[in-house]
Amino acid sequence: MGKIKKFLLFLTMVVFVVDIILVILYVKSQEEGEPIINVPTYDEPPSLLTEIPTYNPDIWQPNTPDKGVIIDIKYYNQDNFPTFCEGVTSLMALKYMGYDITINDIIRKVPNYEIKYVNGQKMGEDPNLYFIGNPRSADAHGCYAPVIENMLKEIAGDDAVHNLTGMEIEDIITQYINKGIPVIFWATMGMSEPTTGTTWVIERTGQVYSWKGREHCLLLAGSGADSYYFYDPMDSRGIIAYDKELVEQRYEQMGKMAVALVKKAN
């Protein structure tokens, strides 16, 4: 019994000494400004590196009972870029086609224009030419298809990008989705009814412009009997089904804008 007590006392002393050593090392590291544990750094915010499980026909049940062609794509969310759905959706398309790029690279290639007041008048620019606001800000608005088209062409080349604006969705499905090419697609948040948003004067032309509220960009990746399937950067489920008739209505209301990246990276 005495030997056991001595052994336990010895273990206690060892633990105590180890604790003292660890405390000394921690204090020393703080004084030198170096962490004990190396924390990895990322080119993209951590939440944008989180892959959400995507379509698996054996385990996944969509919002509607039909299952059709769905392209399997790595999902990225826009949590750190609450108004830059266009950029995060483009990131998904670029990554799918094999381009080594980050969301920060995309931001650098998208021209932006922040709304300002001049003599009490709200001044802005054309969202077909600029992203309106700061892509990192929750107060920004967004941009339309030509801005994303130009950004993609700068990255992949003119012949790698198709502006599909005006094309019917079923034609997009036949010519692109069924061939394994996802499409950057403009609609609304949650396919809700668009509203009249902020109004400003376009500085170059003096034209009064009204932003379409609830504008949203997402990646069209599939079609079933009753639904179109999207990778929605605002929806953490990754892929989501929306009723076809509703999608077609929102697509029409938002100007029938869509862009496809058709060429894989070399």
Side-chain angles (χ1 to χ4, degrees):
M1 194 69 180
K3 290 182 178 180
I4 294 176
K5 285 184 179 180
K6 288 181 180 179
F7 179 70
L8 291 174
L9 179 60
F10 173 75
L11 284 180
T12 302
M13 292 177 66
V14 169
V15 170
F16 179 72
V17 171
V18 169
D19 285 344
I20 290 176
I21 292 172
L22 288 175
V23 169
I24 292 171
L25 288 174
Y26 175 79
V27 171
K28 187 175 185 296
S29 70
Q30 295 301 301
E31 291 174 349
E32 295 175 354
E34 299 176 355
I36 294 175
I37 301 173
N38 292 321
V39 179
T41 57
Y42 303 96
D43 290 333
E44 299 166 305
S47 72
L48 277 178
L49 297 172
T50 302
E51 183 176 0
I52 306 297
T54 55
Y55 175 69
N56 181 328
D58 298 323
I59 63 173
W60 186 76
Q61 294 298 319
N63 293 347
T64 52
D66 62 314
K67 293 180 180 178
V69 175
I70 302 178
I71 304 169
D72 189 20
I73 298 169
K74 183 176 181 179
Y75 173 77
Y76 293 87
N77 68 54
Q78 64 179 91
D79 287 357
N80 287 285
F81 301 90
T83 54
F84 199 34
C85 51
E86 302 91 350
V88 178
T89 295
S90 298
L91 179 69
M92 287 190 271
L94 284 160
K95 291 284 194 182
Y96 172 75
M97 297 300 274
Y99 290 85
D100 182 15
I101 197 162
T102 71
I103 190 66
N104 293 320
D105 295 329
I106 291 173
I107 288 175
R108 284 189 286 269
K109 295 180 184 299
V110 171
N112 74 297
Y113 188 99
E114 297 198 42
I115 290 176
K116 58 187 177 183
Y117 285 88
V118 178
N119 297 324
Q121 176 65 59
K122 188 177 289 186
M123 306 296 292
E125 256 301 342
D126 185 344
N128 291 290
L129 301 176
Y130 297 89
F131 181 91
I132 306 302
N134 183 334
R136 302 177 187 276
S137 170
D139 298 325
H141 291 78
C143 64
Y144 293 151
V147 176
I148 296 304
E149 175 191 6
N150 291 336
M151 176 270 294
L152 292 173
K153 284 181 176 179
E154 185 178 345
I155 294 168
D158 290 356
D159 61 343
V161 183
H162 293 179
N163 189 330
L164 312 182
T165 297
M167 184 179 286
E168 298 300 325
I169 299 178
E170 283 303 319
D171 291 334
I172 292 175
I173 297 299
T174 301
Q175 297 179 37
Y176 294 90
I177 304 303
N178 289 350
K179 295 178 181 179
I181 300 172
V183 171
I184 300 165
F185 188 96
W186 275 258
T188 58
M189 300 175 188
M191 296 298 161
S192 58
E193 184 73 26
T195 63
T196 300
T198 305
T199 297
W200 61 80
V201 174
I202 295 178
E203 189 168 18
R204 290 176 305 104
T205 65
Q207 176 188 359
V208 176
Y209 183 85
S210 293
W211 176 255
K212 293 181 179 180
R214 299 178 182 167
E215 174 265 352
H216 190 43
C217 184
L218 51 173
L219 194 62
L220 176 61
S223 176
D226 301 312
S227 304
Y228 293 120
Y229 296 93
F230 296 88
Y231 289 88
D232 186 343
M234 285 191 74
D235 193 299
S236 61
R237 286 173 289 180
I239 193 165
I240 189 167
Y242 287 113
D243 176 75
K244 280 189 172 183
E245 185 176 345
L246 179 61
V247 171
E248 287 161 3
Q249 181 181 357
R250 301 296 180 243
Y251 178 60
E252 178 84 27
Q253 290 172 308
M254 294 304 296
K256 298 175 75 169
M257 294 184 292
V259 175
L261 177 64
V262 300
K263 184 179 179 181
K264 292 188 176 182
N266 295 326

